[in-house]
Amino acid sequence: MKTFVIAGGNSGIGLQAARELLAAGHRVVLLGRDELKGETALKSFGPARDRASFLPVDLSTHDGVRDAARRVDELTDRIDGLLHSAAVFDTSDTRTVDGLPLFFALSYLSRYHLTQLLVPKLLLAEHPKVVMLTANLSKVPKLSPELFPYFERFNFRTAVSQVNGACMYYADHLTKTHPKIFAGCVTPGLVRTGIFDQAPWFIRAYVALTAPLLANSLEKAAQNVVQALRAGEGPSAFMWNKPGIFEDRYAIRTDAVIQKAVMDTSRQVTGA
């Protein structure tokens, strides 16, 4: 039986992945901010609840990530897979208590920070995996390190490629610095989940109108995610940008100078 930690596992794609991992006989540790959703998720697992745990945490702050890592560390002897599905669709310049844009803090920096803190437990597994949900990117975007980490003149359209690209750069970095760990990014495509709750009204309206025709089911959106967690392997980090087609992926290649700048900033900001 393997142990999987799922950040954002109390709803949406994270919850669907948890169900499938439990059905395969594994153990899951769910991280989420909403305690009621967490308890509801546990109840929905039926008899498999005995192999599931929920930790209420706030991954948008440095202290919250450190607390989450400490509690996970106390709960499990090793981590076979870490899934980052926690994210927010916040187009405004909302700032965390650390002074960072919420979109950047939750959708990239918390992933870097939590993973770095849990690396020792990941390395105790035979074939550890780290998987991050991202937007659909047909290639690795060029990052602008001068924007990190504060994005002084926050622009959501710019931040989307920078934040999702940073996840790809980190996946590549993680694979290079810890070859034992397989890292990858997966896009779920358009899925109608709670991530759009904080989006502007016109985006919510667009999703409501197009979802019946274009949206993927949770099962399809989670398919590559679960397969990457269970069977992801290769000499480099990979990106899956076609939901439901696990064989269709591309290797993540990054600019070494830009990667060093972004990783150095991430390390300086988090201390991890």
Side-chain angles (χ1 to χ4, degrees), residues 66-87:
R66 294 183 188 110
D67 176 64
R70 176 187 59 79
R71 295 168 69 186
V72 170
D73 189 63
E74 293 173 349
L75 195 61
T76 182
D77 295 330
R78 74 172 192 280
I79 299 171
D80 295 278
L82 172 58
L83 170 60
H84 291 286
S85 64

Side-chain angles (χ1 to χ4, degrees), residues 56-163:
V57 297
D58 180 3
L59 296 176
S60 69
T61 71
H62 300 331
D63 286 343
V65 172
R66 294 183 188 110
D67 176 64
R70 176 187 59 79
R71 295 168 69 186
V72 170
D73 189 63
E74 293 173 349
L75 195 61
T76 182
D77 295 330
R78 74 172 192 280
I79 299 171
D80 295 278
L82 172 58
L83 170 60
H84 291 286
S85 64
V88 63
F89 198 104
D90 188 350
T91 61
S92 66
D93 190 9
T94 304
R95 298 277 161 167
T96 69
V97 296
D98 301 308
L100 301 170
L102 177 61
F103 177 61
F104 169 79
L106 190 59
S107 302
Y108 163 66
L109 195 63
S110 72
R111 300 174 174 194
Y112 166 89
H113 195 181
L114 183 63
T115 303
Q116 289 295 107
L117 295 176
L118 295 179
V119 160
K121 284 294 174 75
L122 283 161
L123 292 176
L124 292 177
E126 188 175 1
H127 299 293
K129 316 278 195 304
V130 175
V131 175
M132 294 173 270
L133 292 190
T134 66
N136 190 344
L137 298 170
S138 59
K139 63 180 181 179
V140 180
K142 183 177 180 180
L143 300 188
S144 300
E146 68 275 7
L147 296 176
F148 291 71
Y150 295 107
F151 290 81
E152 299 293 352
R153 297 179 180 178
F154 183 80
N155 179 286
F156 182 73
R157 292 183 65 181
T158 299
V160 167
S161 64
Q162 296 296 302
V163 167

